Amino acid sequence: MTEIVKALTDADAPVTWSVVMTVCEPRALVQTNVLWHLATGASAVHVFFDDPGDPAMASIRQIAGCQAVVCDSAHWRELNGRKGRPASQMRRQTLNANAAQAVARTDWLFHIDADEFIWQDGNLRSELEALGRGQTELNLPVLERMFVETAGQRSVFDGMFRASSQLSGADARAAFGEFAPFMKRGQYSHGAGKSGIAVGQGLRLGVHNATIRGSERWKRAPKQVSRTTRLLHFDGLTPLHWAMKGMRYRLNPPDVRNAVLQTHRAAQIDWMLEQGETLEDLLRAHASLFLLTSDRCRRLRGFDLLCEVPFDPGHVLGASAPDLSVAAFDADVRARNPWLDDILNGSD
């Protein structure tokens, strides 16, 4: 009888969901990400700190609902045996995501990055209830943040968003202009979105999608695209943040750089490095890619790809929000990446 009562109670309980991410980002970004998702429906946020000495860790792990894990050598021995810490960032993310699945106490788990935020146009929980706890992943379509030319940037989250798309040929050139070769599914970064899975149902989380064990190997799991929820991606919270991410590839030879990047991303990074290495050069390159000029707005609206999303985490979080000014964020970027100033100042 006890088992029957428990089963009925569980069936009536609301569906719960959580988030997992592997991070190595400024404290304000990670803190905002954790607090945003807890404030908008997540029951827990699993945060794996890729840098064991991350200065953001002490404050982030104090947030109620945050499950923080330090990715030290012991952590990697436990997840990856004698191979230890994988060289591939994507491999580290995948191992961490599935380690979170093993301990998650929620019905669903979504795998995202620190610069990605789950935005609900509708009721995500109702959609998860309707989908059930089967072996189908729920994909969140991605929107990529753009900067409004006439507005400037007060908060690191200001801007509008460009929807992903499947344009090709003449339509892609008409929508995106000369930078169409730098894009995949209409995005500079990724157009695949991110996914969530029902916990404990035999699915394995990847960076963008989930897989399921087939008769002989793992294969892509069935997918449903969300009707209620999208993923907001901030590919560089500030122009300097974007430049830092690109300039890291300068430290690698082109063949190594291009081996770890998708073709469109490699072309974008190569172009960025060709524009020069002074801060002015990099800011000009960023504006060329991301600034919403009147012409770019017209092109994107012509294909219904420009979205206004009222995303304002500072308003939602209130007194809990960190300093989200550009100046404070860039100061953290420089402090965490002292090599960046060396490059910008012309000393290797």
Side-chain angles (χ1 to χ4, degrees):
M1 180 63 70
T2 302
E3 288 77 9
I4 295 175
V5 171
K6 183 178 185 301
L8 291 173
T9 302
D10 289 347
D12 293 336
V15 170
T16 57
W17 58 275
S18 56
V19 168
V20 58
M21 66 188 84
T22 298
V23 306
C24 187
E25 293 283 7
R27 180 188 61 82
L29 175 56
V30 180
Q31 181 178 342
T32 302
N33 192 304
V34 171
L35 291 172
W36 167 266
H37 289 104
L38 291 173
T40 57
S43 297
V45 179
H46 302 265
V47 181
F48 290 81
F49 286 92
D50 201 35
D51 175 6
D54 196 318
M57 192 186 322
S59 59
I60 302 300
R61 73 189 326 165
Q62 300 302 316
I63 300 173
C66 176
Q67 311 297 321
V69 177
V70 54
C71 297
D72 55 15
S73 56
H75 170 79
W76 291 121
R77 281 198 302 272
E78 181 179 352
L79 294 192
N80 205 34
R82 286 191 290 180
K83 294 181 180 179
R85 183 179 189 267
S88 166
Q89 175 183 337
M90 296 178 71
R91 174 64 173 160
R92 298 197 300 274
Q93 290 174 307
T94 299
L95 287 172
N96 286 338
N98 290 288
Q101 182 185 186
V103 300
R105 297 184 178 181
T106 55
D107 299 308
W108 282 75
L109 178 65
F110 289 88
H111 186 194
I112 65 172
D113 288 342
D115 60 1
E116 296 171 333
F117 290 76
I118 293 174
W119 174 263
Q120 299 178 56
D121 293 306
N123 191 316
L124 174 60
R125 181 171 281 119
S126 294
E127 185 172 29
L128 296 177
E129 289 174 350
L131 190 57
R133 288 178 49 76
Q135 294 184 320
T136 298
E137 71 172 69
L138 183 66
N139 176 263
L140 308 182
V142 62
L143 304 179
E144 191 171 71
R145 190 267 299 270
M146 301 287 285
F147 292 77
V148 180
E149 182 181 40
T150 57
Q153 188 185 17
R154 296 162 298 158
S155 162
V156 294
F157 294 108
D158 287 347
M160 296 176 68
F161 296 86
R162 182 185 55 230
S164 53
S165 60
Q166 295 285 1
L167 302 181
S168 60
D171 282 348
R173 289 190 296 273
F176 310 126
E178 63 181 303
F179 297 117
F182 296 172
M183 308 176 86
K184 186 174 183 179
R185 299 189 183 95
Q187 306 283 278
Y188 290 134
S189 51
H190 67 83
K194 295 294 177 71
S195 292
I197 62 170
V199 171
Q201 300 304 303
L203 296 176
R204 185 171 64 181
L205 275 167
V207 173
H208 295 284
N209 302 105
T211 53
I212 186 171
R213 175 74 75 177
S215 58
E216 298 181 358
R217 59 183 178 82
W218 288 88
K219 62 180 182 179
R220 184 69 61 81
K223 178 175 74 175
Q224 177 170 306
V225 177
S226 178
R227 298 182 298 274
T228 69
T229 305
R230 294 178 286 178
L231 187 78
L232 306 183
H233 183 201
F234 295 81
D235 187 19
L237 273 291
T238 68
L240 180 68
H241 189 223
W242 172 84
M244 178 275 295
K245 290 174 179 287
M247 290 299 286
R248 281 188 305 201
Y249 291 106
R250 176 186 183 275
L251 306 177
N252 297 318
D255 58 334
V256 175
R257 179 168 69 242
N258 295 342
V260 299
L261 294 171
Q262 294 190 54
T263 302
H264 76 287
R265 195 65 157 173
Q268 182 188 139
I269 297 299
D270 288 343
W271 173 86
M272 186 200 81
L273 297 178
E274 291 169 0
Q275 306 311 300
E277 295 182 353
T278 69
L279 182 56
E280 290 74 17
D281 292 331
L282 295 171
L283 296 181
R284 188 164 49 249
H286 179 271
S288 295
L289 289 172
F290 287 96
L291 204 60
L292 280 172
T293 62
S294 58
D295 177 65
R296 180 167 275 155
C297 286
R298 178 185 59 78
R299 289 168 177 261
L300 294 176
R301 285 199 171 102
F303 289 89
D304 197 25
L305 296 177
L306 192 59
C307 307
E308 294 189 59
V309 179
F311 181 70
D312 186 357
H315 177 73
V316 172
L317 303 183
S320 299
D323 186 344
L324 298 178
S325 68
V326 172
F329 192 88
D330 281 350
D332 198 338
V333 170
R334 289 179 181 273
R336 294 172 64 93
N337 302 278
W339 57 266
L340 180 61
D341 280 330
D342 291 340
I343 290 177
L344 298 178
N345 293 332
S347 58
D348 294 329

